[in-house]
Amino acid sequence: SQTIHQWPATLVQPVGSPLSLECTVEGTSNPNLYWYRQAAGRGLQLLFYSVGIGQISSEVPQNLSASRPQDRQFILSSKKLLLSDSGFYLCAGQRDSQETQYFGPGTRLLVL
Amino acid sequence: KQEVTQIPAALSVPEGENLVLNCSFTDSAIYNLQWFRQDPGKGLTSLLLIQSSQREQTSGRLNASLDKSSGRSTLYIAASQPGDSATYLCAVERDSNYQLIWGAGTKLIIKP
């Protein structure tokens, strides 16, 4: 099975600062990769997904961007954080579009 | 080290039955516990979140309970429907760094 690694576990950043969250996958090659966000008291929202290196699709317009520089590496970034970017960010990997997604432990981001 | 276990791994029941899914965790020092639903080939849907100070949460036909002292949570589904068929995941948020520890899930099939 797959293992999804995310870091850092928690992050406190000032408004206007940059962001880089990293996700790496073990146990499979060429996975589909996903970034989700869960805002306080709300459900999960899909932010980005990637079916291969350099291929990124965005589900919602926002202040964030994603990149996939390597097969098993997915990075979530921002040039200038907003207060509304606070939340819990989950990375997921999937071997095939019809199979289960495996989720990482998440990163809790607080923008002050 | 926190470990989350879900039993059974799979469950198949006729439509209309009430059912219970189980989740157990080894460390009672949790921040909250969440139940999610995952449909085949899709992402997660957050169902219920129980804070560590709460005993249960209800949403429609779903009721989730939490007993921290025994390290257990149950998800009760009343009057099951074929549309309830999915994989149900339990995740515990640790008290220390707010990361999620995931159970392996219970695959539920409701037969018409």
Side-chain angles (χ1 to χ4, degrees), chain A residues 3-6 23-24 34 88-93 101-107, chain B residues 44 91 99-102:
Chain A
T3 302
I4 311 298
H5 300 282
Q6 284 186 247
C23 168
T24 59
Y34 303 81
F88 189 66
Y89 290 83
L90 276 169
C91 176
Q101 292 184 22
Y102 291 88
F103 287 80
T107 294
Chain B
L44 291 180
Q99 288 191 309
L100 290 180
I101 310 298
W102 295 89

Side-chain angles (χ1 to χ4, degrees), chain B residues 8 12 18 20 51-52 64 68 81:
Chain B
S12 180
N18 303 324
V20 175
Q51 299 287 356
S52 63
K68 280 179 55 178
Q81 303 170 359

Side-chain angles (χ1 to χ4, degrees), chain A residues 6 8-10 34 36 38 42-44 88 90 94 97-101 103-106 108, chain B residues 31-32 34 36 38 40-46 49 87 89 93 96-102:
Chain A
Q6 284 186 247
T10 58
Y34 303 81
Y36 293 87
Q38 185 177 37
R42 301 173 67 178
L44 281 175
F88 189 66
L90 276 169
Q94 183 187 46
S97 62
Q98 296 304 310
E99 295 194 8
T100 300
Q101 292 184 22
F103 287 80
R108 186 165 296 281
Chain B
Y31 187 66
N32 61 45
Q34 297 191 58
F36 295 88
Q38 185 174 47
K42 298 185 179 180
L44 291 180
T45 300
S46 179
L49 183 151
T87 296
L89 292 158
E93 190 167 342
S96 56
N97 64 4
Y98 309 114
Q99 288 191 309
L100 290 180
I101 310 298
W102 295 89

Side-chain angles (χ1 to χ4, degrees), chain B residues 3-72:
Chain B
E3 293 182 1
V4 180
T5 305
Q6 289 187 248
I7 295 173
L11 182 64
S12 180
V13 300
E15 180 179 5
E17 283 197 7
N18 303 324
L19 57 98
V20 175
L21 307 181
N22 296 294
C23 172
S24 61
F25 47 95
T26 54
D27 187 347
S28 62
I30 64 171
Y31 187 66
N32 61 45
L33 183 146
Q34 297 191 58
W35 282 95
F36 295 88
R37 167 187 173 141
Q38 185 174 47
D39 292 280
K42 298 185 179 180
L44 291 180
T45 300
S46 179
L47 297 175
L48 292 164
L49 183 151
I50 312 177
Q51 299 287 356
S52 63
S53 58
Q54 297 174 325
R55 298 282 296 187
E56 67 177 347
Q57 284 287 331
T58 299
S59 176
R61 294 183 293 109
L62 304 179
N63 176 278
S65 68
L66 175 63
D67 184 343
K68 280 179 55 178
S69 61
S70 65
R72 292 181 182 178

Side-chain angles (χ1 to χ4, degrees), chain A residues 49-78:
Chain A
Y49 68 92
S50 171
V51 298
I53 296 174
Q55 300 179 63
I56 309 294
S57 297
S58 175
E59 288 293 300
V60 293
Q62 57 206 313
N63 183 43
L64 303 168
S65 62
S67 62
R68 186 169 175 176
Q70 300 180 42
D71 181 44
R72 287 174 279 184
Q73 183 185 30
F74 204 23
I75 298 173
L76 184 69
S77 304
S78 173

